[in-house]
Amino acid sequence: MLRAALTSGGGRLAALLPRHHVRLLCSSSHSSSSTIASLFSDPTPPADPAAAIQSAGVDLSHPDTVPALLLDPSLSGNYPAASRFFSWAASDAAAKAALNSRAFNSMLQLAAAHGDADRFWSLVDSMRSRGYGISKPAFRAASESFKAKDMARDADQLQEAFAAHGRNAAAAEVCKVLRAPGKDDTSKLAMLSESGIKVTDEVVDLVVEKVGQFPQQAMVFFRWVEQSAGAGVSWGKVYNAMARVLGREDCIEEFREVLRKMRSKGLEMDRDVYVTVTDRFLKRKMVEDTVDVFRFMTSRPEKLVTDDFVFLLKKVVVTGDLDLKLVTRVLRYYRHAGNEVKDSAFDSVLKSLRSVGRLGESGRVLKAMEEGGFEPDGAAHEKAALAMCDAGNLEEAHNYLTSMEESGHKMGPKIWSCLVQKYSLGENVDTAVSCFHEMLGKFGNEDVGSALEVLVSGLYKKKGAKEAFNVLKNVVTEKAVFPWQTTYKYLIHKLIRQGHLKQAFEVLGLMKSHGYPPFVDPFIPHISKSGTVDDCLGLLNATSLKGLPSRIVYVRLFQALFKEERHEVAQQLLSQSPASIQNHADVRDIFNRMKLEEPVAAELAEG
């Protein structure tokens, strides 16, 4: 039957196979295809099909045997048997080697002729995995079968699959030329021009996918595309592919040329290309080139989002050496595209500056943003000054505040308070005092408690408690400043520790003038241990109210003096106390108890 297939209705087979192969197969056994059809007609194949096929004299190892068998009427007319035979051959280790492209195309024709779409497309997938394509005879035969059976959808899919194979073949040929060893770029370009391959969007995509990591090959390909492509090519896709491939450090001049061509042709850059190239440039710290790409994108504002602008601005201020001109350019391009720069953009910049230890540059960065079109309010200027304070650039922050106020911006007390506090914590505490007075001149005595407390602490640490007291007394009496209660308490502790009781008493008087309760706790133990009667009277005078002594303070002093066994000082203090105190029951009780305890103590001492 193989002989009949080759000499009669096997005209299609004869067209598929070379003439010398046809002669070879004509010598095969007449019953070969019938034997195989018989073997695989039963849904359950024999235990050893290979042995049965070999005994029938069929040589499956020959590349043309399987295609001839499948198209012989004995097997092609029994589609279930043909399908089982092919499945077995595909799973058998020895027979699998015989399933070449022609074998698959023969089986494709059978599947289409019998309307088996599932089998047909499964075969197409298998062919793709092996690198086989659909032959023209198989394509025509299958198309006719699908149309005859009203399988329009499959016919359309087949048309696309066949076209895709053609595109893949064309792309493979292009890549082969681009990778040709021993050929220079000019020779490769000439070979491509002579190839007759038609440039399409699909071919461009396929080739770029293969050579995208080899810029030199890609550049040859793109030159050929520019020379050869017709009007049907989407130049936007071509140039975006070029930008994606050439947007790298070692091809930067070629990339810039692509941008110039795109600009001259009015082409847009796709957003995904922009993101890819920008990310690549920033990893290589190519900040200026990134800004150039951003400028190109701003010609199509709808392609950008606010996050793109803020992201780039943050990268500019943290990557490499700070270039303020680039900051201005980014702002200018963004504003030129009709966008508004919000205050939150500067907030984001400050966070980035902080992350790389560049807060000291905040004022200059803000000025660069202004030059680009940003209109900061007083709050933004305060943030810049605060950032400079945090960075320790106090003199610069001070000058910045002064210049901003001279230019008409109103700075709030918060930033001045911060400046005073930072100076107070540093070495130049005299400047802190000067700034505090400057602050009082601008804002009066409201909301200065925090700054004064830190100032007093700084003065104590650098110049001692007495100097801190002098400054505090001056601003309270001359500027009507209202210190915090904690500031008073802190200063009292430090004055007592350094032996300045007189000044500490004065602080009590200042506290009293501001309505704070007298803070006598640190005085009592100090005076009871080493103080004089005059010290006691000084404390009592400082804590008196409307000229009347504090009975509670008297009682605490007497108790503390007796505890320290300073009976003589206690008696002297009692003798100089007002009658109301001497006759008070609590005081009399303390002294009576002392008189009773003295003999007992004496007896214990004697023995």
Side-chain angles (χ1 to χ4, degrees):
M1 286 194 179
L2 280 176
R3 186 190 306 275
L6 291 169
T7 57
S8 60
R12 286 188 296 176
L13 177 61
L16 283 170
L17 305 177
R19 186 172 300 173
H20 68 282
H21 289 164
V22 172
R23 287 197 301 270
L24 178 65
L25 290 174
C26 283
S27 63
S28 300
S29 170
H30 178 73
S31 61
S32 297
S33 58
S34 297
T35 299
I36 290 176
S38 176
L39 284 172
F40 289 93
S41 292
D42 191 331
T44 303
D48 190 0
I53 291 173
Q54 188 174 5
S55 66
V58 179
D59 181 12
L60 292 181
S61 65
H62 195 283
D64 295 323
T65 300
V66 174
L69 289 171
L70 289 173
L71 293 180
D72 184 81
S74 296
L75 196 55
S76 64
N78 187 347
Y79 177 68
S83 182
R84 292 188 195 105
F85 164 64
F86 195 87
S87 296
W88 166 81
S91 62
D92 183 79
K96 185 187 297 185
L99 297 185
N100 54 23
S101 177
R102 291 193 299 276
F104 272 94
N105 274 286
S106 298
M107 191 64 212
L108 273 184
Q109 294 185 57
L110 285 180
H114 289 82
D116 190 352
D118 290 341
R119 179 68 163 165
F120 181 89
W121 294 113
S122 175
L123 287 167
V124 171
D125 289 339
S126 297
M127 292 172 70
R128 284 174 180 161
S129 67
R130 293 167 179 251
Y132 299 157
I134 303 173
S135 67
K136 286 186 179 180
F139 165 68
R140 287 194 293 266
S143 294
E144 291 172 5
S145 297
F146 284 149
K147 291 174 183 177
K149 293 180 177 298
D150 293 328
M151 299 171 67
R153 182 180 178 185
D154 292 286
D156 292 340
Q157 283 185 260
L158 176 59
Q159 181 71 36
E160 176 55 33
F162 187 70
H165 170 68
R167 292 192 294 270
N168 287 329
E173 183 64 26
V174 171
C175 291
K176 184 178 179 181
V177 172
L178 294 174
R179 294 166 180 165
K183 299 292 184 180
D184 59 20
D185 292 351
T186 303
S187 299
K188 292 177 181 179
L189 196 59
M191 292 168 66
L192 288 173
S193 299
E194 295 168 2
S195 66
I197 296 173
K198 182 181 179 182
V199 178
T200 64
D201 291 342
E202 292 82 1
V203 169
V204 171
D205 289 340
L206 290 168
V207 173
V208 168
E209 183 179 350
K210 299 294 184 183
V211 303
Q213 297 303 313
F214 307 96
Q216 193 62 37
Q217 296 179 17
M219 284 188 281
V220 174
F221 172 66
F222 287 134
R223 282 201 293 272
W224 173 65
V225 170
E226 287 184 308
Q227 294 175 10
S228 308
V233 173
S234 171
W235 287 107
K237 289 188 65 175
V238 171
Y239 279 101
N240 269 281
M242 292 170 70
R244 186 191 297 274
V245 172
L246 300 178
R248 45 193 290 164
E249 189 174 17
D250 54 352
C251 304
I252 192 60
E253 289 303 325
E254 290 80 3
F255 175 77
R256 290 168 182 166
E257 180 62 23
V258 169
L259 287 190
R260 284 192 287 270
K261 289 180 179 179
M262 291 180 75
R263 190 176 287 113
S264 66
K265 295 175 181 293
L267 299 174
E268 301 178 6
M269 181 180 289
D270 293 341
R271 176 166 178 77
D272 64 316
V273 176
Y274 167 75
V275 172
T276 298
V277 172
T278 294
D279 182 62
R280 195 183 295 154
F281 282 174
L282 289 174
K283 284 180 179 178
R284 302 296 298 174
K285 297 185 178 180
M286 299 166 62
V287 183
E288 186 169 0
D289 290 294
T290 307
V291 173
D292 287 337
V293 179
F294 180 77
R295 179 188 183 186
F296 182 87
M297 289 296 287
T298 55
S299 62
R300 296 290 187 273
E302 67 278 1
K303 295 271 186 180
L304 284 174
V305 296
T306 303
D307 288 347
D308 295 326
F309 160 68
V310 175
F311 173 79
L312 178 56
L313 195 59
K314 290 165 63 177
K315 289 296 183 181
V316 168
V317 300
V318 301
T319 305
D321 297 331
L322 180 59
D323 189 336
L324 296 176
K325 291 182 180 178
L326 290 181
V327 174
T328 299
R329 282 176 56 189
V330 172
L331 267 292
R332 193 168 290 153
Y333 298 150
Y334 190 66
R335 292 281 292 123
H336 184 71
N339 298 298
E340 178 187 1
V341 181
K342 297 182 179 180
D343 293 338
S344 58
F346 183 59
D347 294 339
S348 297
V349 168
L350 285 178
K351 290 180 181 178
S352 295
L353 290 172
R354 183 184 299 276
S355 70
V356 293
R358 287 182 174 174
L359 278 179
E361 302 289 347
S362 301
R364 283 188 285 273
V365 169
L366 183 57
K367 184 177 180 182
M369 291 178 66
E370 276 192 276
E371 292 175 359
F374 179 45
E375 298 178 356
D377 55 13
H381 287 295
E382 284 190 15
K383 290 174 184 176
L386 281 170
M388 286 186 277
C389 286
D390 288 343
N393 295 7
L394 303 183
E395 193 64 30
E396 188 173 349
H398 192 181
N399 293 336
Y400 184 83
L401 283 175
T402 302
S403 65
M404 288 301 102
E405 289 185 334
E406 289 174 353
S407 63
H409 292 286
K410 184 175 178 59
M411 301 289 104
K414 179 181 177 181
I415 176 58
W416 282 96
S417 176
C418 177
L419 186 62
V420 170
Q421 293 181 52
K422 293 293 184 180
Y423 269 126
S424 301
L425 296 172
E427 295 298 323
N428 197 350
V429 72
D430 289 335
T431 306
V433 176
S434 174
C435 278
F436 187 77
H437 281 284
E438 193 174 353
M439 177 182 173
L440 292 177
K442 294 176 182 296
F443 306 105
N445 57 12
E446 295 295 327
D447 298 323
V448 298
S450 176
L452 179 59
E453 182 155 295
V454 179
L455 176 60
V456 167
S457 174
L459 284 165
Y460 162 71
K461 292 174 182 177
K462 297 296 185 300
K463 294 193 171 187
K466 195 170 184 179
E467 181 63 23
F469 164 74
N470 291 334
V471 171
L472 181 135
K473 180 180 178 181
N474 174 265
V475 297
V476 170
T477 57
E478 301 294 331
K479 304 294 184 180
V481 171
F482 198 120
W484 289 352
Q485 185 181 18
T486 54
T487 305
Y488 280 130
K489 288 183 175 182
Y490 172 85
L491 186 55
I492 286 172
H493 271 296
K494 302 307 179 185
L495 286 167
I496 292 174
R497 177 177 294 179
Q498 293 187 349
H500 304 300
L501 273 181
K502 179 181 177 182
Q503 288 77 13
F505 293 153
E506 287 191 60
V507 175
L508 283 177
L510 296 175
M511 287 186 75
K512 187 164 57 175
S513 69
H514 285 143
Y516 292 128
F519 182 54
V520 300
D521 290 353
F523 289 95
I524 301 296
H526 176 79
I527 293 174
S528 66
K529 289 179 181 180
S530 59
T532 65
V533 174
D534 289 338
D535 293 335
C536 294
L537 293 174
L539 175 61
L540 292 165
N541 289 332
T543 57
S544 64
L545 184 62
K546 295 181 180 180
L548 298 176
S550 171
R551 175 184 57 80
I552 295 176
V553 177
Y554 266 106
V555 169
R556 289 187 62 183
L557 273 173
F558 287 135
Q559 289 174 334
L561 288 167
F562 283 130
K563 183 178 179 181
E564 297 294 333
E565 298 185 352
R566 300 189 68 197
H567 300 174
E568 184 179 349
V569 176
Q571 288 290 354
Q572 291 176 5
L573 177 60
L574 181 64
S575 66
Q576 296 184 44
S577 302
S580 60
I581 296 298
Q582 293 181 10
N583 296 322
H584 195 280
D586 291 340
V587 174
R588 291 173 63 183
D589 182 62
I590 293 171
F591 278 86
N592 289 335
R593 193 181 314 119
M594 179 192 69
K595 289 176 181 179
L596 290 174
E597 291 174 353
E598 280 183 343
V600 175
E603 289 177 7
L604 290 173
E606 291 175 359

